[in-house]
Amino acid sequence: MKLTHEITRRLVEVVRAEMGLRPIILALEGPLGAGKTTLTKELAKVMGVKDEIVSPTFVLHRQYEGYAGLVLNHIDCYRMEEFGELLQIGLRKMIGRKSLIVIEWADKFEKEIKGLRDEESKVIWVKMKYGGKENERKIRIYENSRY
């Protein structure tokens, strides 16, 4: 958990540096139980979100407000079948507001998310997988342009 907190603290630094210039999309990918929602909870905590963070698997999208007006949009694509569903829940509006958008199961729409150009948004991919030991996770972070 300590490492997850450090990773999210660094991600928040990137968000703060970019906030207001363009939206940040954290595209999370990994198997069930890899820690996507846990990472989002840690991110929300570092951002100063006071609300309880729960997976939006059934409601698809939740929005939270943190310190200094930082807005966290938390999306879960697990039950989505096509990219149009992301658009229906307001992805373009979130991008237009230059908020932080965390998308769990982003790899389902990898092509479309990669298609969001740098001028439109900064996309950071966070790939999570199980490590060799119990409760160990491996996390790889890279920008859209370096994927």
Side-chain angles (χ1 to χ4, degrees):
M1 189 71 119
K2 195 173 192 179
L3 180 59
T4 304
H5 185 76
E6 180 61 22
I7 289 168
T8 54
R9 188 186 62 75
R10 289 182 184 176
L11 287 172
V12 167
E13 287 174 8
V14 171
V15 169
R16 284 187 179 140
E18 295 280 338
M19 199 59 142
L21 301 175
R22 59 184 167 171
I24 308 293
I25 297 175
L26 293 182
L28 308 183
E29 58 179 291
L32 279 171
K36 296 178 292 296
T37 301
T38 300
L39 181 71
T40 305
K41 287 179 182 184
E42 282 296 310
L43 181 63
K45 187 188 310 180
V46 173
M47 288 177 64
V49 172
K50 301 294 182 199
D51 298 322
E52 179 184 2
I53 304 301
V54 294
S55 178
T57 301
F58 295 103
V59 297
L60 307 178
H61 171 247
R62 294 184 187 273
Q63 183 173 303
Y64 305 95
E65 196 165 321
Y67 297 132
L70 290 176
V71 175
L72 169 63
N73 285 286
H74 186 195
I75 300 170
D76 190 320
C77 295
Y78 184 75
R79 295 178 47 238
M80 293 183 191
E81 294 182 19
E82 56 186 51
F83 185 69
E85 292 175 80
L86 259 175
L87 298 176
Q88 286 176 344
I89 63 169
L91 179 62
R92 290 278 176 215
K93 190 179 265 186
M94 292 174 221
I95 288 172
R97 290 185 180 148
K98 300 181 180 173
S99 61
L100 172 62
I101 305 161
V102 177
I103 304 175
E104 294 191 31
W105 300 97
D107 47 316
K108 289 184 76 172
F109 308 114
E110 181 178 337
K111 178 183 169 190
E112 292 87 349
I113 292 171
K114 282 183 179 180
L116 299 171
R117 299 286 172 240
D118 285 340
E119 309 82 52
E120 187 175 25
S121 61
K122 181 180 188 89
V123 180
I124 300 171
W125 290 86
V126 181
K127 188 172 205 163
M128 308 174 87
K129 63 182 184 177
Y130 295 109
K133 299 175 185 173
E134 185 178 347
N135 294 324
E136 181 183 58
R137 302 295 185 268
K138 294 185 179 191
I139 301 173
R140 182 173 169 218
I141 301 171
Y142 41 92
E143 290 185 34
N144 205 23
S145 58
R146 296 185 191 148
Y147 189 70

